Amino acid sequence: MDFSQQIAQYIITGLTIGAIYAIVAMGFNIIHNATGIVNFAQCEFISLGGMIMYTLVVHVHANMIASFFISMAAVALIGALIERGPIRHARSKEIIVLIFLTVGISGVLRGAAQEAWGTDNLGVPAFSGENPIRLPFGAIIVPQHIWVFAITVLVVVMLHYFFKKTLMGKAMRATAVNRKAAALVGISVNRMILLSFAFSGGLGAVAGMIIAPISTTSYDTGIMLGLKGFAAAILGGYGNFAGAILGGVILGILESLGAGLISSQYKDAIAFFVLLLVLFLKPTGIMGYGESGRV
Amino acid sequence: MYMKMKKEEKMKKGSLIIVAVALTVGFMLGTSPCYSAEPVKIAGIFALTGRAAHIGTAQRDAVLIAIDEVNAHGGVNGRRLEMVMGDTESDPTKAVMALKKVLESADVVAIIGPTLTGTAMAMRGFIEKEQIPAFMHSGGDVILNAPLSKDDPASLPKWTFKSPYKAADAMGKICEYMSRHGIKKIGFLYSNEGFGKDGLKNVAVQAPKYGVTVVAEEAFEPKDVDMTAQLTRINAQGVDGIIAWTVGPAMGIVAKNVKQLGIKAPLFECHGSGDPIFWKVAGEAGEGVMMPSTKIVVADQLPDSDIQKKKIVDFVSAYKKKFNQEPGTMVAYGADAAYIVVDAIKKAGPDRAKIRDAIENTKGYVGISGIYNISPEDHNGLSMEDIVMIEATKGGWKLLK
Amino acid sequence: MNAFLKQKDILGFAVLAIFIIILPAFVESRYYYIVLNVIGLNTIVVVGLNLLIGFAGQISLGHAAFYGLGAYFSGILTVNYGFPLWPAMLVGMLATGIVAYLIGYPSLKLRGHYLVMATLGFGIIINILMGELEQFTGGHDGLIGIPQLAIGRLVFDNDLKNFYLIWSFVFFSMLAARNLINSRVGRALRAVHGSEAAANALGIDTAGYKVKVFVLSAMFASLSGSLYAHYITFISPSSYDFYYSIQVVTMVIVGGMGSLWGSLFGAGVLTFISEALHFAKQYHIIAYGIFLCLVLIFLPEGILVGIYNFILKRKAKKQIKTDY
């Protein structure tokens, strides 16, 4: 493999993992826009998506497509339950308290997952086989990579349509901009928040499921992916959808190129370092607007 | 007055019943069938939660089987063997706390575990100070090699032993196999933590011994999901073979990446890969991957002349019956730690110092990981002879020559 | 002009001092001592962190790095270079302070979630460096053979002696924090927390104060890290990952943000619960998570403050009832 082929390989790898980060970032963004908090349980959504699909496909022998949607719905339901339960009933609405409440919830989910699925890694079968495909630029991928890209694009398109064209999507955006005004025009803010958690759950599950055949899944798979997804969201501008995609892609490629070209030992340090540099130069992320508040 | 008398009668009746019950129970306890006196207690400290949980729970299970077996055959000199358990939570600080907790039961005579090398190193100093024999099953050679005090390079641990064979020997086995099969230039891919980096140091020493040159070294984070960048770089150097030194899901991911990139050079993995979990994470891509291992995973393929065969086969069927799955290579370490300690207790009685001496003089012990010849200089007792090379094939393993 | 110590504080410190002095008469178990010592070490970190979070209203999800830097500076200087023990600890605190300044100066210009990410990011970077810079740190295998602290001929070589040592430091750290809170600087910090714009308008150098308290909190953590290193005599990068950072912030919240005694309480309760739950075997992760959720849902001001407020409320309610 000559140098340009190597670069092509790094870029494809970076785009693949970047797509995952982008989806996770979008999940973080939706909840941030609706509630202003960081939902650490997002990490668990990713793990659970992969693991529920594993159980359905490998143990129940369900059809793969059906398993995909059932898993997505299940995790969306879990997200909704989290909102309806602990989050809604929390006595304090202070952001830092709610954030750490999600940390606690994350721990409970993780412990429960460890009980249910054990501590071993689980292999999920690829959606359509594992025969390598050689691309024009010399990079080699497997069909799962195509699924990752295809589903990511689909998710982005559908979310875009949802938020721009449907009434519910517009209502959610309205809630994000100004809660009081949204309530005044008759939008049920509580329902919008519930929906945002459900969406976030579904997105996390999708991310977990499409990467599971490549990376295997386990009760703690989601932590690193969640962390980097959050970083991608911040990099692109927290709360901004285009930013999530941009942030995810940039982070993924940075990591991959860093590993390939500079040093595989320091690749995470390099990626985070660049992230910090960007933040110091543009404190609200690449596409973010300032966080304003009343004085 | 009538009522009061009734009460007194009732009370008398009640106390009679209580005394009767107490006598019966006491009688039953006193004449319980197998065991008299108090049980012999050993401590088992494993990573039952946290990032090493899947290894720690497997090793705990192996130790439990060994203990069940001992108790089924009369215990230790007529006394039941009991394990007090501790959880290191895969964290060195928690490991030390767990250690102190079990030491509070002053009648613990020996320790088995822990799982992770970091936790082992944290516990080591306290174990040596406490003077209690500990048979560890963590992988790091540094547990026995690193002196207790930097000022005195000869201050090696006296009370600490370890059951897994030296990682250096495992690496040597791979290199030796490579030299016999014409593999000269290799790439080394390792996970960026203690175990992987240990491997990097070992391969630098072992490879030249067998005429093998490491032309590329690449690292990845233990939780990474894609190593194609690193493998691409290695492959670009034109290697005849690749060693991937890691445990965990990465074992499978590397195998998949190798197949994906169409790399023809054979893939070797570490001595922790011979485990059912390898197939779960690698799937079909695991076909043809080679690794050093204990004989536990190829028990049926051993020649009948192998003195270990019977013990291993018996253990494997006991394990399968109790836990309903095949044991992986690391289960062997847990089991051997337990068996050797129990053997020493049987010989020396429940005295910490005597047990330590007995362990240190274990010679020719037919264990599951190998034949143990422990001595004051070698607190591990295994050699390269005990290691076999295996190949992953069709969901199982093939013993290689 | 505020008194140096308010009345309830004097009581608190007196109780703490008495507790430290007489406890060994009642406790013999080494296990209890190590749990108490870990609580003490965590308390020092949490007290410093609370100054940052509770009083200055900032956040840091990377404080494990400073705890680790203290441990590693102490360890490296004493093991590799034969530095004397106490100066090494001091140098460690200063060095950590400098690192904190270099990180804090640009980071604290960020707001909200961006600050969270920045602190997370540098926490991870420093943790990676601990594992990579092998010639100094011993890499992932860790640093062994760290000498125990000593004053002259008295070597702190067992759990009881370390109990006295660590808790003396806890006592004086809390005293120092209380001093700071009641001073002009403390009031400035609370002004910054209340409203940065207003504080600025009043002429308070908010940026400067934020960085200073960040550096101070880092130095508290560094001190604790050094004490840990000399106590356990072995350190490795895995103890200083972002899980620990999250843990200490959780302790701040559970104890009560902005409450000095809450810091002690939070560290104590969470460390204790984490150990006590071992009886639940493998369910202890779930149990801990549930406990945390319950506290955050029902006592979000922190357990100590929450209970205190609850008692005050009931007193007030009774007062209202009797007034009629």
Side-chain angles (χ1 to χ4, degrees), chain B residues 51-107:
Chain B
R51 62 192 171 93
H54 58 282
I55 307 177
T57 44
Q59 287 167 333
R60 174 206 56 193
D61 293 342
V63 173
L64 282 175
I65 293 205
I67 292 184
D68 282 349
E69 200 190 294
V70 165
N71 282 336
H73 290 102
V76 177
N77 304 330
R79 293 166 66 178
R80 228 182 82 239
L81 188 63
E82 207 178 272
M83 180 159 78
V84 179
M85 273 208 275
D87 181 3
T88 66
E89 299 184 34
S90 309
D91 173 70
T93 311
K94 291 277 174 164
V96 175
M97 288 164 93
L99 175 68
K100 303 227 178 201
K101 190 172 180 188
V102 301
L103 286 181
E104 284 310 291
S105 355
D107 43 354

Side-chain angles (χ1 to χ4, degrees), chain A residues 128-204:
Chain A
S128 60
E130 303 201 325
N131 294 316
I133 303 170
R134 191 156 263 240
L135 292 179
F137 311 104
I140 310 178
I141 60 173
V142 291
Q144 195 65 27
H145 287 109
I146 300 186
W147 281 109
V148 170
F149 293 134
I151 293 181
T152 304
V153 169
L154 199 64
V155 163
V156 170
V157 166
M158 282 174 58
L159 281 180
H160 179 86
Y161 179 79
F162 175 79
F163 282 111
K164 280 267 153 54
K165 307 282 186 197
T166 67
L167 190 61
M168 196 176 286
K170 289 191 217 179
M172 280 180 80
R173 277 169 59 210
T175 320
V177 171
N178 188 326
R179 239 186 235 198
K180 287 205 180 113
L184 280 173
V185 298
I187 297 176
S188 162
V189 171
N190 277 342
R191 195 180 300 171
M192 292 301 117
I193 296 181
L194 184 71
L195 264 180
S196 68
F197 269 83
F199 260 83
S200 198
L203 280 174

